[in-house]
Structures are given as C-alpha cells and as structure tokens.
Amino acid sequence: MATVTLQGNSFETVGELPAVGSKAPDFNLVKVDLSSATLADYAGSKVILNIFPSVDTGTCATSVRKFNEKAADLDNTKVICVSADLPFAAARFCGAEGIENVITGSSFRGSFGDEYGVAFKTGPLAGLLSRSVVVIDADGTVMFTQQVAETTDEPDYDAALAAL
C-alpha cells in the first residue's frame, strides 16, 4: 500500500506502482468507442500512462492538456490518459479542448487500479485512481514511475519524458 494525500489528508491506495525494470502489468481499458485496449495493442511503441482521478477536476484536466502538447513531439510513443471516468466524459473533454495527441482509457470495467496499485482504498476518492505516471518502453518494461504525493499536485512531466 502507498499513502498519498488529498488537501493534506492521508489516504491509502490498494498497492504500489510496478517496479522500475519489471514487466508492465497488462491492462484492459475502455476506449471512447467502447472497445477494449490492452498493453499488447501498443507493443513496439513506448507508452506513457497518465493516471488520474477524473478529467472533471482542474489538475487532471491540466495533465491531459500538458501531455497532449508534449506528445505531439514524441516518436513511437503513445500517451494514454487513464481514469475511472466513463469514456463519454473523456471524449467530451478532449473534443471540447481540441485534444488529439493522447488516447483516453477508462478503468470503469476491469482491474487496472488494482493491477497498477493506484486505486484509492480509503478516503473520499475510494475506487478512483491516484495521480501517477508510468513510462513503459517498447518491450513492455517499466522505465519510470511516479505516484504524486499530494493528489492536487501535477506530475513531473519532465522526469517522465526524460525516461523515454
């Protein structure tokens, strides 16, 4: 279990992020067209998982915007923005914002939060995902992880991109 805060109040997640150097756990996320996306679908590409509670909050929306900007310049890299939001909410947000360089994936079906150790176990966000970043190389190996200590803070974009 990891402990993170929300406005200074401590809460636990169900586990820990995958270890750097380990094989990334497979996942099953729901895309905006309601089809499934798995890690195997991105084999041969580097993957940045931008994980957050909900696109309907300021910091989460900012992380999607910033990764969208940065993704435009990345070679052979897919940025997947992961939350428990329904795919329709992600599509609405990305459409309204003109976001085209990231992929959205909903964890509302499946066990992504448990497999990656990021589901909140306690607190008012229980069941949602803790703000985290996981960078996976083209062979499926975890190259970088960050679980943001204070949920309202942004991730370290530069450190994530440097891991590529």
Side-chain angles (χ1 to χ4, degrees), residues 44-93:
S45 294
K46 295 174 261 182
V47 174
I48 299 173
L49 297 174
N50 174 33
I51 306 163
F52 51 86
S54 175
V55 75
D56 288 322
T57 65
T59 306
C60 300
T62 297
S63 74
V64 174
R65 288 183 197 108
K66 285 194 179 178
F67 272 118
N68 181 64
E69 291 170 20
K70 295 176 183 304
D73 297 327
L74 301 176
D75 290 328
N76 193 35
T77 303
K78 306 294 184 199
V79 177
I80 306 172
C81 295
V82 182
S83 71
D85 291 316
L86 291 177
F88 315 113
R92 180 194 75 242
F93 174 80

Side-chain angles (χ1 to χ4, degrees), residues 9-53:
N9 299 303
S10 296
F11 301 104
E12 296 175 335
T13 62
V14 297
E16 303 283 335
L17 287 168
V20 171
S22 69
K23 258 327 199 190
D26 197 9
F27 55 72
N28 189 348
L29 298 169
V30 182
K31 299 189 302 187
V32 295
D33 65 0
L34 300 180
S35 65
S36 292
T38 66
L39 183 57
D41 294 336
Y42 305 101
S45 294
K46 295 174 261 182
V47 174
I48 299 173
L49 297 174
N50 174 33
I51 306 163
F52 51 86

Side-chain angles (χ1 to χ4, degrees), residues 1-5 11-17 51 113 116-120 128-134 144-151 153-156:
M1 253 178 295
T3 301
V4 296
T5 60
F11 301 104
E12 296 175 335
T13 62
V14 297
E16 303 283 335
L17 287 168
I51 306 163
Y116 276 77
V118 295
F120 281 108
L128 296 179
L129 307 178
S130 170
R131 185 175 323 287
S132 305
V133 177
V134 178
F144 171 86
T145 64
Q146 178 194 19
Q147 188 165 43
V148 179
E150 167 54 49
T151 302
D153 290 344
E154 292 180 55
D156 187 341

